[in-house]
């Protein structure tokens, strides 16, 4: 059993398992897959800073029929196409500085063998039976729609707009209906289970219509050739005439990846992160499967909204997709920390969709990074270099000035950031760091250290007052940088290097409170040398064309 972590009142576990959806390999990564993954990374880094042992999983979902079809179009084997794109996801996430602990591919034997074992267990326990299914098949989503949903959508796919096909087949069914009551009770009793609130209500609403059993296999026609899409996947145990439905196969990744003696301690997951498109699978089908396997349920299924472009859904046909090349171009020009910050603070974290807008990107980059932590840390660093011969000044025990009680201001920001990050409110958690920087700026304006500096040789007490002010500023900037570091780890690491206060971020065994503690164990030590360091972020020019956008012809 995981050991309780008494420093963390909100979820007193010493381990934290966080996952992203596993992405279809029929396409390359894009703004959406990168968003969820960076968000999960920021959460994972926060939890490491809270002293938890984190396991962060991402990966690829490979057994979809569309993978076979796209590979055919491209003239390569399905395996090759899956390999190429799985690698593209792994590389993209690495370029975005995502600190995943494992990358699972559903075509790997470590996954397929486990899925087989889970299905065997479900069969043995009587939760799976053979039956006949008939419904509206949405080929683009690999999903059956009920008559009601199909009718509402005008018998075309609500996602791709392609016609639905009436299909019926003999299938293995999972007794989803048997878990309806338990599931409703669980959602009712655990406010944290489905979040945000709007999504929880959506699921509760749909659950009122009742649950039917669902097919979990697809029949393989006896005459299907070896490379037929129907054969691409994991076979039903002891029945080569059926393939396990890709969604069931995929959901099991969350379990298969940690189903080893060393990793078992990570279950139940702290959070499954995803977008609203795949909420039902995660909030209803997945928990019911877990109940059937007698496994404890994850703490939170968190479904964010969508990134859109100019208010419209992004799609290839509209040609308004922010693709991985554009994202790479943003990283190249403004740094990957900059893109991560935009994602983490401006993304569609709650129920409302968010626009990806270049103007907003620049505005936030300049306000929060270049003029925010960047400018504030150089101001403070430069004054220490100039007035105290590049050595951290001694506050001589003074921790409160001009109405600012720094140990308590810092402590409150840290507490608020922990509480926010723990409920996955990443906007608010990072906002605490940003607000702390603003407080330092306001404090500098109120105490005017640059004016005081002119009097240090003439006015008694001026030098001590200046030393105290700059020590407070530096300690507050250090704490702010720690709080912001899950989103902008590289800039913060550079700052800590310049200020000679390297912090053991990865797999920290200390809690954030301890790391940030004013004048505490990890604090800046009076007399310690610092260097000026380069600006953390260069101000961006709002007039410059967006990266990755071809130059517009002049009118
Ligand atoms: N393979 C399934 C998931 C199986 S999980 C057991 C799948 N894959 S997907 O490649 O289509 O990825 C969907 C996920 O990508 C969404 O849930 C979301 O996390 C992310 N996004 C895709 N487009 C998005 C936006 N436009 N905006 C934000 N995130 C979106 O579904």
């Amino acid at each position: 059993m995981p050991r309780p972590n008494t420093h963390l009142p909100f979820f007193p576990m010493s381990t934290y398992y966080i996952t992203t959806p596993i992405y279809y390999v029929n396409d390359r990564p894009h703004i959406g897959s990168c968003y969820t993954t960076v968000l999960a990374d920021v959460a994972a880094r926060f939890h490491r800073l809270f002293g938890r042992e984190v396991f962060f999983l991402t990966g690829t979902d490979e057994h979809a029929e569309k993978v076979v079809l796209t590979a055919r179009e491209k003239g390569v084997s399905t395996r090759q196409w899956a390999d190429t794109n799985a690698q593209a996801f792994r590389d993209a996430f690495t370029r975005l500085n995502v600190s995943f602990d494992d990358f699972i591919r559903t075509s790997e034997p470590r996954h397929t063998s486990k899925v087989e074992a889970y299905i065997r267990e479900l069969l043995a326990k009587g939760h799976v039976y053979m039956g006949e299914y008939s419904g509206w098949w949405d080929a683009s989503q690999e999903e059956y729609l009920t008559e009601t949903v199909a009718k509402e959508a005008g018998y075309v796919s609500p996602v791709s707009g392609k016609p639905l096909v009436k299909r019926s087949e003999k299938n293995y069914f999972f007794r989803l209906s048997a878990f309806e009551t338990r599931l409703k009770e669980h959602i009712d009793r655990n406010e944290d289970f489905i979040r945000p609130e709007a999504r929880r209500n959506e699921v509760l609403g749909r659950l009122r219509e009742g649950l039917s059993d669902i097919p979990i296999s697809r029949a393989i026609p006896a005459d299907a050739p070896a490379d037929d899409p129907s054969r691409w996947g994991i076979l039903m145990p002891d029945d080569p005439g059926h393939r396990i439905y890709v969604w069931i196969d995929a959901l099991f990744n969350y379990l298969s990846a940690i189903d080893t003696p060393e990793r078992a301690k990570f279950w139940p997951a702290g959070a499954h992160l995803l977008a609203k498109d795949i909420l039902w699978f995660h909030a209803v089908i997945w928990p019911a499967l877990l109940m059937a396997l007698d496994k404890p349920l994850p703490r939170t299924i968190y479904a964010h909204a969508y990134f859109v472009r100019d208010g419209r859904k992004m799609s290839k046909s509209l040609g308004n997709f922010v693709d991985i090349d554009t994202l790479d171009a943003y990283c190249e020009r403004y740094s990957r920390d900059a893109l991560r910050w935009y994602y983490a603070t401006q993304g569609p974290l709650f129920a409302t969709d968010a626009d990806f807008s270049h103007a907003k990107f620049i505005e936030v980059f300049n306000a929060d990074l270049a003029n925010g932590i960047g400018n504030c840390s150089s101001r403070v660093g430069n004054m220490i270099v100039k007035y105290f011969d590049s050595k951290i000044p001694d506050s001589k025990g003074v921790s409160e000035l001009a109405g600012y009680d720094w140990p308590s201001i810092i402590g409150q920001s840290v507490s608020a950031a922990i509480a926010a990050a723990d409920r996955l409110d990443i906007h608010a958690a990072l906002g605490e760091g940003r607000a702390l920087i603003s407080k330092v700026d306001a404090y500098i304006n109120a105490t005017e250290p640059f004016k005081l500096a002119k009097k240090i040789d003439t006015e008694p007490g001026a030098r001590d007052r200046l030393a105290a002010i700059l020590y407070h500023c530096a300690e507050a900037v250090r704490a702010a940088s720690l709080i912001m570091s899950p989103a902008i780890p590289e800039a913060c690491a550079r700052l800590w290097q310049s200020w000679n206060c390297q912090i053991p971020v990865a797999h920290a065994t200390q809690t954030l409170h301890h790391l940030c503690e004013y004048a505490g164990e990890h604090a800046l030590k009076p007399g310690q040398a610092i260097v000026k360091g380069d600006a953390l972020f260069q101000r961006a020019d709002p007039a410059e064309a967006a990266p990755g956008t071809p130059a517009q012809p002049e009118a």
Side-chain angles (χ1 to χ4, degrees):
M1 274 302 283
R3 168 175 59 83
N5 186 332
T6 48
H7 298 283
L8 297 161
F10 309 100
F11 183 47
M13 302 289 283
S14 64
T15 57
Y16 190 75
Y17 178 28
I18 184 163
T19 67
T20 70
I22 46 172
Y23 304 103
Y24 286 131
V25 280
N26 59 310
D27 218 340
R28 299 167 76 210
H30 56 66
I31 183 171
S33 36
C34 291
Y35 171 61
T36 314
T37 312
V38 167
L39 194 62
D41 185 52
V42 174
R45 286 176 188 262
F46 263 119
H47 283 271
R48 289 190 195 113
L49 279 175
F50 300 164
R52 289 190 174 120
E53 191 179 352
V54 169
F55 193 77
F56 171 17
L57 179 71
T58 188
T60 43
D61 185 356
E62 312 201 349
H63 293 136
E65 292 189 4
K66 56 189 171 192
V67 178
V68 182
L69 301 175
T70 324
R72 253 187 220 165
E73 265 171 40
K74 304 275 169 188
V76 295
S77 74
T78 311
R79 170 82 43 210
Q80 267 175 311
W81 188 239
D83 284 350
T84 305
N85 281 325
Q87 193 60 40
F89 276 98
R90 192 190 267 275
D91 291 347
F93 298 159
T94 305
R95 288 199 300 281
L96 285 167
N97 204 5
V98 172
S99 60
F100 53 86
D101 294 296
D102 197 357
F103 187 100
I104 192 157
R105 297 181 56 185
T106 54
S107 58
E108 290 173 293
R110 62 165 172 155
H111 173 75
T112 56
S113 63
K114 286 277 166 28
V115 171
E116 230 185 279
Y118 302 141
I119 298 287
R120 270 186 204 284
E121 191 178 333
L122 293 174
L123 281 160
K125 287 180 168 163
H127 297 305
V128 167
Y129 64 93
M130 178 64 103
E132 170 117 3
Y133 187 84
S134 154
W136 290 98
W137 178 245
D138 179 348
S140 58
Q141 294 306 100
E142 305 250 346
E143 194 183 349
Y144 269 112
L145 303 182
T146 59
E147 181 60 40
T148 333
V149 177
K151 196 172 169 188
E152 260 173 34
Y155 300 100
V156 295
S157 162
V159 179
S160 68
K162 294 197 178 134
L164 300 174
V165 182
K166 185 86 181 176
R167 255 173 50 170
S168 91
E169 55 186 53
K170 269 209 167 315
N171 273 319
Y172 286 91
F173 278 72
F174 169 56
R175 286 187 206 282
L176 182 62
S177 59
F179 297 94
E180 186 178 322
T181 313
R182 268 178 74 190
L183 196 59
K184 277 186 188 153
E185 274 172 16
H186 187 83
I187 301 173
D188 274 336
R189 284 189 198 140
N190 297 277
E191 270 186 37
D192 263 3
F193 185 58
I194 303 173
R195 297 201 32 238
E197 180 78 18
R199 299 277 95 89
R200 177 171 187 261
N201 294 337
E202 183 183 312
V203 171
L204 282 170
R206 259 185 87 179
L207 275 175
R208 272 182 224 117
E209 294 165 21
L211 285 179
S212 315
D213 294 348
I214 51 157
I216 59 155
S217 70
R218 294 282 175 264
I220 304 173
D223 56 354
D227 64 346
D228 193 72
S230 65
R231 294 199 183 275
W232 175 243
I234 309 174
L235 295 181
M236 275 302 283
D238 306 324
D239 188 349
H242 285 86
R243 179 179 57 108
I244 297 166
Y245 176 35
V246 62
W247 259 104
I248 302 298
D249 162 357
L251 286 167
F252 278 129
N253 91 90
Y254 301 131
L255 213 48
S256 69
I258 51 119
D259 198 352
T260 64
E262 312 76 55
R263 292 178 175 182
K265 64 181 174 194
F266 290 108
W267 193 262
H272 292 312
L273 244 61
L274 41 130
K276 56 187 179 180
D277 53 339
I278 55 176
L279 177 63
W280 187 252
F281 287 106
H282 283 83
V284 173
I285 298 172
W286 177 231
L289 285 168
L290 288 168
M291 284 176 178
L293 290 173
D294 297 310
K295 302 268 185 206
L297 301 192
R299 179 192 178 207
T300 298
I301 311 290
Y302 192 98
H304 60 72
Y306 274 163
F307 254 118
V308 292
R309 199 94 202 248
D310 306 318
R312 298 177 77 187
K313 194 174 157 62
M314 287 183 210
S315 77
K316 277 196 180 155
S317 49
L318 287 173
N320 61 351
F321 230 94
V322 178
D323 60 13
I324 187 66
D325 299 332
T326 308
L327 297 172
D328 283 337
Y330 268 88
C331 291
E332 177 82 7
R333 191 187 299 168
Y334 304 105
S335 80
R336 52 187 182 175
D337 276 355
L339 180 65
R340 291 169 57 96
W341 182 262
Y342 179 79
Y343 261 157
T345 62
Q346 307 299 317
L349 180 60
F350 304 107
T352 320
D353 292 344
D355 226 38
F356 185 87
S357 125
H358 178 67
K360 185 78 186 166
F361 182 96
I362 298 301
E363 184 192 317
V364 169
F365 174 82
N366 280 337
D368 293 351
L369 302 182
N371 299 339
I373 188 170
N375 185 53
C376 182
S377 60
S378 7
R379 261 173 117 187
V380 173
N382 290 348
M383 285 193 276
I384 293 174
V385 167
K386 199 161 157 196
Y387 309 137
F388 290 93
D389 195 20
S390 302
K391 301 217 171 57
I392 296 293
D394 192 342
S395 63
K396 302 201 171 139
V398 175
S399 62
E400 192 177 337
L401 257 180
Y404 287 76
D405 173 358
W406 287 104
S408 119
I409 293 172
I410 292 170
Q412 280 167 18
S413 300
V414 174
S415 296
I418 293 176
D422 208 62
R423 55 172 197 272
L424 287 169
D425 188 347
I426 300 298
H427 289 181
L430 295 169
E432 287 298 329
R434 176 69 188 88
L436 198 48
I437 292 290
S438 297
K439 281 202 179 114
V440 175
D441 283 332
Y443 182 63
I444 294 176
N445 292 343
T447 54
E448 301 185 311
F450 34 89
K451 285 194 184 157
L452 207 52
K454 298 198 177 107
K455 310 179 201 159
I456 47 178
D457 296 323
T458 52
E459 194 176 296
R463 174 175 284 274
D464 281 352
R465 188 175 160 86
L466 181 62
I469 292 169
L470 292 182
Y471 186 76
H472 301 157
C473 293
E475 268 296 87
V477 168
R478 187 183 68 85
S481 69
L482 270 154
I483 298 172
M484 293 166 82
S485 67
I488 51 167
E490 289 173 298
C492 293
R494 284 204 304 281
L495 175 67
W496 301 333
Q497 189 161 21
S498 305
W499 286 12
N500 206 354
C501 57
Q502 284 300 348
I503 282 148
V505 176
H507 303 286
T509 50
Q510 312 277 5
T511 65
L512 188 61
H513 265 300
H514 187 75
L515 293 170
C516 291
E517 190 184 355
Y518 173 89
E521 188 190 343
H522 295 281
L524 294 158
K525 304 283 177 295
Q528 173 185 308
I530 68 163
V531 294
K532 213 163 162 186
D534 293 333
L536 295 182
F537 299 96
Q538 299 287 350
R539 233 188 104 75
D541 176 2
E544 209 171 33
T549 312
Q552 297 296 315
E554 280 181 30

